Amino acid sequence: MVAVHIINGPNLNLLGVREPQTYGSLTLAAIEQRLVELGARLDAEVTCRQSNVEGELVGFIHEAGLAGAGIILNAAAYTHTSIALRDAIKAVDAVAIEVHLSNVHAREAFRHHSTIAPVCAGVICGFGPVSYELALDAIVRILRQRHGADGN
């Protein structure tokens, strides 16, 4: 069994009420429940965390990476500004996938740049909650390949 930590950044605790036309109507708890269920089908242990505080997110990344867990990170607004999150991923040599509910490239220009993408295995955005599911499937395959198990 592989371990995957799903880490969500600022304002994602407001999903379901915050700008539903952009982020959808599902709550973060509902998305997390779907991911835990998908993880069970993929034989992956899923841990979900959320914080509005950058330093706490850094701690979550350290904890996951040092434990050898994969990371699915929706850093939200910190995606575009946080060198600390980027450095945390690199420091613990974590396998990480950047995820966004909305297509950040179809939004304001300041959202088009990611400080964390260069240290991630990939970026998935624009598919709503399915973005997380695609990322979970991908990271489980990557982790299994890394550990020599069948990635199919």
Side-chain angles (χ1 to χ4, degrees):
M1 178 175 280
V2 296
V4 178
H5 288 217
I6 298 167
I7 301 173
N8 285 287
N11 299 311
L12 291 167
N13 57 303
L14 299 176
L15 287 177
V17 296
R18 176 187 178 218
E19 300 177 62
Q21 69 282 4
T22 300
Y23 300 108
S25 59
L26 282 181
T27 64
L28 182 58
I31 292 169
E32 290 173 341
Q33 181 59 42
R34 286 170 50 168
L35 294 168
V36 167
E37 290 168 4
L38 176 58
R41 291 193 302 274
L42 295 172
D43 198 29
E45 180 183 358
V46 173
T47 300
C48 300
R49 315 280 296 271
Q50 188 276 329
S51 179
N52 294 316
V53 179
E54 185 179 28
E56 288 181 5
L57 296 169
V58 168
F60 295 163
I61 291 167
H62 288 171
E63 181 182 324
L66 292 172
I71 297 171
I72 296 171
L73 176 61
N74 184 342
Y78 289 137
T79 300
H80 320 292
T81 62
S82 181
I83 293 171
L85 294 180
R86 180 223 177 271
D87 287 354
I89 294 166
K90 187 148 179 79
V92 294
D93 193 28
V95 176
I97 295 178
E98 177 184 331
V99 124
H100 299 283
L101 293 161
S102 67
N103 179 354
V104 294
H105 301 288
R107 299 183 61 199
E108 304 93 339
F110 69 85
R111 296 186 193 275
H112 298 179
H113 174 73
S114 169
T115 59
I116 62 175
V119 296
C120 289
V123 178
I124 299 173
C125 68
F127 298 100
V130 174
S131 294
Y132 287 95
E133 296 169 18
L134 295 168
L136 183 55
D137 182 64
I139 205 160
V140 166
R141 290 170 188 254
I142 292 167
L143 292 169
R144 286 197 176 123
Q145 288 171 353
R146 183 182 248 203
H147 299 297
D150 182 15
N152 294 324

